């Protein structure tokens, strides 16, 4: 089960760190480290200990535009390479996962016909779920036409056992989404309120279930104004910033950098939408009792403030992301071993873009994009607002044992790539590999955490290498209340893998820490040759509990600089 966000009860102990200054490897090998004169020559004992933990790290100041420019250029080149990756899956008598298939190829196109045989681009099927009707068998491949948009508003696309899914034709990767339609039509939006200063609030043309995001032209989004459902109506809330670097002192896991609190009043829509390009989603809460499961609420009203005019006339594409009445994952690997996803794009989704089952094995996800994951109301336990309110739009979640996730582009997800479980009986999880990916503006980049009771390592190895992760916690999921970090290895003192290696990654910017990791006396990790950029007074590392029971420790960038 996905971990639901929890209340911030914690505080932090602040410490500093020093820098070691060594080049990363992989794609960043040729990039020059910062000048040694910018960094402290004599680190404190605490800083030296952290430097030993983050071995051979290159540290950069987030404000150093010139120093960061080569890394942003490398990110741009990687993005272009992933978006432009050709389809290289071919038929062969020998099966190599992610490279070949051994059975029959089937084709699906938005202009196809489900009465056809699906065996060629000229006789392609039309409905993306057509490939689940029985013909497709293990060893086969399903190719979706590039440039097509496949709307899975009714149910997820269930993946098949040992089936490869890829793309054919020319143009951008085929898109899969739960968004039911392009809402960039003037008739989709009715002017509901016009106020002073040119404020214009528009009402969506039909009731919707909880809206987790609104995306414009695949490049910008409306910010959600959070309200709290109560038997008396929608309570206004304040989102309070929590700053572990400048004031919080605690000994528990903070999990977030914001706190939700009651504003003490019920506001009208126009009183709440005080800024342009913000929205409110009010599902039907009549008869509400706690605990309130938002998935069971009736459809309600959606209001969007757009001062420059009718949104349907201002934008060429508007994707309204709301929960359907069935599945909310887009691609569902729960029942399949050995599937391959290649050159597909999952956009505008809730909960999970790709969801898997940890009891399954051997998935490969490569050359794909995962973008614009919304966060929706979840389980509301009380009338008093808490941080336990939403379920976030994770990108690639769980997937399978012995999974490989490589060369993908992910942006504006809750967590781009997550592998976590409280399933203590899981064994023989193989190697979990995340490499060569680009992740930007996600709540978290990579999170790996597996509860482990006893001495047995669940994974043979966890390999997180050569990923570029930019601006964690700064995107459409800002309100998701999950601790924003680039890489999260958990804080529990359990060794869940025989080998945990984090290397050759570029980690630039986070609204909380860059790295979260268990205490080295509790869990053996090998974190080395990474490049990290953070603000001078920003949080660098959150270190977990030691076996003696010490609380969470925080380390900042502040002692790295000499002036």
């Amino acid at each position: 089960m996905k971990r639901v966000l929890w209340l911030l009860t914690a505080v932090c102990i602040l410490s500093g760190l020093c820098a070691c200054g060594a080049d990363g490897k992989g794609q960043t090998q040729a990039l020059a480290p910062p000048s040694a004169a910018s960094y402290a020559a004599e680190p404190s004992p605490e800083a030296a200990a952290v430097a030993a933990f983050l071995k051979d790290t290159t540290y950069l100041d987030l404000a150093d535009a010139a120093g960061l420019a080569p890394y942003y250029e490398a990110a741009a080149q990687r993005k272009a390479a992933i978006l432009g990756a050709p389809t290289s899956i071919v038929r062969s008598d020998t099966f190599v996962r992610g490279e070949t298939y051994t059975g029959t190829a089937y084709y699906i196109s938005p202009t196809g016909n489900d009465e056809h045989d699906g065996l060629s681009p000229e006789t392609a099927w039309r409905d993306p779920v057509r490939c689940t009707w029985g013909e497709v068998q293990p060893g086969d491949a399903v190719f979706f036409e590039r440039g097509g948009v496949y709307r899975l508003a009714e149910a997820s696309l269930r993946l098949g056992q040992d089936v490869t899914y890829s793309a054919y034709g020319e143009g951008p990767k085929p898109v899969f989404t739960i968004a039911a339609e392009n809402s960039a039509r003037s008739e989709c939006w009715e002017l509901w309120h016009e106020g002073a200063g040119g404020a214009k609030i528009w009402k969506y043309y039909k009731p919707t279930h909880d809206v987790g995001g609104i995306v414009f032209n695949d490049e910008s989004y409306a910010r959600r104004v959070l309200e709290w459902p109560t038997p008396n109506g929608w309570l206004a809330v304040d989102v309070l910033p929590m700053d572990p670097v400048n004031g919080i002192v605690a000994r528990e896991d903070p999990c977030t950098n914001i706190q939700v609190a009651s504003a003490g009043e019920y506001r009208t829509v126009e009183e709440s939408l005080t800024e342009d390009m913000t929205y409110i989603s009010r599902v039907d809460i009549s008869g509400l009792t706690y605990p309130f499961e938002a998935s069971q609420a009736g459809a309600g009203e959606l209001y969007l403030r757009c001062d420059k005019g009718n949104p349907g006339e201002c934008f060429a594409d508007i994707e309204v992301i709301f929960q359907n009445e069935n599945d909310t994952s887009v691609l569902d690997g729960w029942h399949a071993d050995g599937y391959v996803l290649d050159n597909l794009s999952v956009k505008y989704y809730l909960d999970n873009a790709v969801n898997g089952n940890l009891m399954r094995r051997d998935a490969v996800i490569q050359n794909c994009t995962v973008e614009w994951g919304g966060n929706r109301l979840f389980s509301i336990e009380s009338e008093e607002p808490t941080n336990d309110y939403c379920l976030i739009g994770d990108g690639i979640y769980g997937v399978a044992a012995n999974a490989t996730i490589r060369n993908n582009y992910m942006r504006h997800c809750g967590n781009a790539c997550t592998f976590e479980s409280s399933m203590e009986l899981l064994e023989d999880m193989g190697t979990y590999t995340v490499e060569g990916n680009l992740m930007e503006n996600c709540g978290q980049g990579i999170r790996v955490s597996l509860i482990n009771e006893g001495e047995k390592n669940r994974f043979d190895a966890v390999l997180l290498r050569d990923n570029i992760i930019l601006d964690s916690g700064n995107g459409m999921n800002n309100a998701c209340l999950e601790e924003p970090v680039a890489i999260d290895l958990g804080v529990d003192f359990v060794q869940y893998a025989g080998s945990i290696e984090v290397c050759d990654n570029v980690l630039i910017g986070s609204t909380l820490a860059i790295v979260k990791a268990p205490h080295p006396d509790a869990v053996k990790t090998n974190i080395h040759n990474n490049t990290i950029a953070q603000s001078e007074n920003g949080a660098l590392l959150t270190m977990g509990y030691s076996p003696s029971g010490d609380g969470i420790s925080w380390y900042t960038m502040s002692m790295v600089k000499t002036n």
Side-chain angles (χ1 to χ4, degrees):
M1 295 294 292
K2 181 183 293 184
R3 183 177 63 184
V4 178
L5 312 167
W6 64 82
L7 176 66
L8 174 62
T9 59
V11 255
C12 327
I13 296 175
L14 302 182
S15 300
L17 58 99
C18 76
C20 296
D23 284 292
K25 296 181 179 178
Q27 286 205 351
T28 62
Q29 188 171 12
L31 301 177
S35 168
S38 300
Y39 295 85
E42 295 296 332
S44 69
E46 295 160 325
V50 175
F53 181 61
L54 303 177
K55 296 184 290 293
D56 295 325
T57 296
T58 296
Y59 296 106
L60 290 165
D61 191 324
L62 198 58
D64 181 6
L68 293 177
Y71 298 93
Y72 282 116
E73 177 60 28
Q77 292 176 3
R78 178 169 294 189
K79 177 180 176 180
I82 294 170
L83 295 181
T87 299
S88 57
I89 303 289
V90 296
R91 193 186 185 286
S92 173
D93 292 334
T94 302
F95 179 57
V96 179
R97 204 175 309 279
E99 298 181 16
T100 66
Y101 65 97
T102 57
T104 301
Y106 294 91
Y107 297 85
I108 298 179
S109 166
T111 61
N113 187 326
D114 292 334
E115 298 301 319
H116 291 164
D117 60 18
L119 295 176
S120 71
E122 293 73 28
T123 60
W125 293 327
R126 180 185 180 92
D127 189 342
V129 301
R130 178 66 177 80
C131 63
T132 68
W133 292 6
E135 290 94 335
V136 179
Q137 299 297 313
D140 291 345
V142 180
F143 294 93
F144 297 86
E145 186 176 15
R146 289 177 178 267
V149 177
Y150 302 92
R151 296 187 181 274
L152 301 166
E154 300 300 325
S156 306
L157 175 60
R158 179 174 290 190
L159 305 178
Q161 181 91 0
D162 293 318
V163 175
T164 296
Y165 301 85
S166 189
Y168 78 94
E170 303 296 328
K173 304 178 194 295
V175 172
F176 298 81
T177 177
I178 68 166
E181 61 180 336
N182 178 359
S183 296
R185 308 189 309 275
S186 59
E187 61 267 27
C188 289
W189 305 93
E190 174 189 356
L191 184 60
W192 182 81
H193 172 80
E194 189 166 6
K200 295 182 179 67
I201 297 176
W202 305 82
K203 182 179 176 182
Y204 196 52
Y205 79 109
K206 64 180 178 181
T208 68
H209 292 278
D210 189 54
V211 173
I214 306 175
V215 182
F216 307 100
N217 293 345
D218 199 36
E219 61 186 19
S220 64
Y221 60 93
R223 182 176 61 82
R224 180 171 189 163
V225 175
L226 177 65
E227 298 178 310
W228 195 262
T230 78
N232 296 320
W234 290 93
L235 177 67
V237 302
D238 294 325
V239 179
L240 308 176
M242 309 295 283
D243 186 354
V245 175
N246 298 300
I248 297 178
V249 181
R251 302 183 63 77
E252 298 294 338
D253 185 0
C255 300
T256 180
N257 61 335
I258 59 177
Q259 175 67 52
V260 173
S262 171
E265 60 183 5
Y266 296 87
R267 297 172 184 160
T268 64
V269 170
E270 58 268 30
E271 288 172 334
S272 295
L273 294 181
T274 59
E275 298 180 17
D276 192 22
M277 304 313 294
T278 57
Y279 78 93
I280 283 176
S281 178
R282 288 184 170 177
V283 295
D284 182 4
I285 58 173
S286 58
L288 179 152
T289 57
Y290 298 107
F292 169 67
E293 302 297 331
S295 61
Q296 300 172 0
E301 308 302 334
L302 169 64
Y303 302 92
L304 169 66
R305 178 168 170 176
C306 180
D307 293 347
K308 65 181 180 179
N310 187 310
E313 299 173 353
C314 295
F315 300 97
D317 184 83
I318 302 176
E319 303 292 339
V320 178
I321 312 168
F322 59 87
Q323 179 186 359
N324 57 41
E325 296 182 4
N326 298 297
D327 300 312
T328 50
S329 297
V330 184
L331 305 182
D332 180 9
W334 190 260
H335 302 278
D337 293 288
Y339 61 85
V340 175
L341 304 179
D342 172 76
N343 268 296
L344 308 181
S345 178
V346 182
K347 296 183 178 181
Y348 323 122
Y349 65 92
L350 292 175
D351 291 8
N352 305 127
V354 182
N355 188 32
N357 182 346
L358 304 189
M359 303 300 289
R360 300 293 181 175
R361 297 192 60 80
D362 302 328
V364 172
I365 301 175
Q366 61 185 21
N367 306 317
C368 294
T369 77
V370 177
E371 305 170 70
W372 305 111
N375 59 80
R376 63 177 177 89
L377 294 179
F378 188 60
S379 182
I380 310 298
E381 299 293 334
S382 67
E383 190 165 344
E384 184 66 24
T386 72
N387 280 20
D388 295 332
Y389 82 93
C390 78
L391 201 60
I392 63 176
D394 281 348
I396 299 172
Y397 185 83
V399 184
N402 206 47
T404 298
I405 300 167
R406 62 193 177 203
N407 304 332
N408 302 287
Y409 172 57
M410 309 175 199
R411 62 168 173 163
H412 292 284
C413 307
N415 300 325
C417 191
T418 302
F419 196 118
E420 62 181 1
S421 175
S422 58
M423 299 168 67
E424 290 84 354
L425 298 180
L426 289 174
E427 296 185 1
D428 190 25
M429 298 300 290
T431 297
Y432 180 61
T433 302
V434 183
E435 63 182 357
N437 303 283
L438 170 60
M439 307 167 183
E440 57 180 346
N441 299 110
C442 297
Q444 288 189 346
I446 306 170
R447 177 163 66 199
V448 184
S449 178
L450 192 70
I451 291 176
N452 189 12
E453 296 182 359
E455 300 298 323
K456 182 175 177 59
N457 291 323
R458 306 299 173 178
F459 293 102
D460 293 333
V462 171
L463 304 177
L464 313 180
R465 57 195 181 195
D466 190 28
N467 300 286
I468 302 176
I469 305 177
L470 310 177
D471 300 320
S472 299
N474 183 20
M476 192 171 78
N477 267 276
N478 285 358
C480 77
L481 307 182
E482 194 98 64
E483 179 180 355
V485 295
I487 292 181
D488 182 353
L489 301 177
V491 294
D492 296 318
F493 41 93
V494 291
Q495 187 76 33
Y496 52 82
S499 172
I500 302 173
E501 185 175 26
V502 180
C503 66
D504 304 324
N505 301 286
V506 175
L507 314 174
I508 299 180
S510 174
T511 56
L512 213 56
I514 296 287
V515 175
K516 179 179 177 181
H519 194 283
D521 291 342
V523 179
K524 295 179 176 62
T525 58
N526 185 11
I527 305 175
H528 65 93
N529 291 99
N530 299 287
T531 297
I532 291 176
Q534 179 64 307
S535 59
E536 184 174 351
N537 293 317
L540 170 74
L541 170 68
T542 310
M543 185 177 287
Y545 310 93
S546 72
S548 62
D550 294 337
I552 301 293
S553 297
W554 285 76
Y555 300 88
T556 74
M557 293 283 283
S558 59
M559 292 184 63
V560 174
K561 303 288 284 185
T562 58
N563 51 53

